[in-house]
Amino acid sequence: MDMEVVWLAELQDISFSRAGVATASSFPAENRMTSAQLARLLHPGAYGVLATTRADGRPHATPASLVLHERAVWLPTVAGAVRLANLAAHPYASLVVMQGDGPNHAMVMMEGAVEVVAASADDVTAAANRYGRELTWATAWIRLTPQKILSYAASG
């Protein structure tokens, strides 16, 4: 097992142990993703929808590519992006990654604190290298440190 993703399953277990009845019943144990399934869905280059909150409280959602690195999810971005202004006002975000449909769908939801890191930071450079493609357009990275992860993989 790739140690890079084991923490995802561990955090998922903690998240479900704290979940209320409605959440637990919506995500039955038999449909929760394993570490290997989480790694496949959250592979470098996967896309999700990043949800942030504008300074005035309105929601904002945008597609974002991602890479897992050092127990965090890194999302490349550019200077002036609305999401950066949102995160300056409210440094917390949600990310949803989905794949498939009907009896073959899978999804991961995560929430956590964020920080914006300059594109030249060493950690970000390492993440970009792992990402496997040139990201010269990225002028900053959003580092999402998940505090909650929920997943579902249809049994079909």
Side-chain angles (χ1 to χ4, degrees), residues 37-140:
Q37 290 172 312
L38 289 165
R40 280 193 300 275
L41 187 62
L42 301 173
H43 67 278
Y47 280 85
V49 176
L50 182 70
T52 59
T53 304
R54 296 175 192 267
D56 65 6
R58 292 179 299 137
H60 178 257
T62 185
S65 60
L66 62 106
V67 63
L68 298 176
H69 179 67
E70 296 183 351
R71 298 179 67 96
V73 180
W74 295 79
L75 307 119
T77 191
V78 295
V82 170
R83 66 184 101 182
L84 294 178
N86 297 347
L87 294 172
H90 304 282
Y92 201 82
S94 295
L95 178 68
V96 176
V97 179
M98 298 185 308
Q99 182 179 45
D101 59 15
N104 297 310
H105 76 281
M107 57 76 60
V108 173
M109 297 185 318
M110 56 182 79
E111 300 174 355
V114 300
E115 66 178 313
V116 177
V117 179
S120 61
D122 289 341
D123 281 352
V124 180
T125 301
N129 290 338
R130 179 158 181 202
Y131 194 79
R133 68 180 178 110
E134 188 62 38
L135 292 171
T136 55
W137 57 268
T139 58

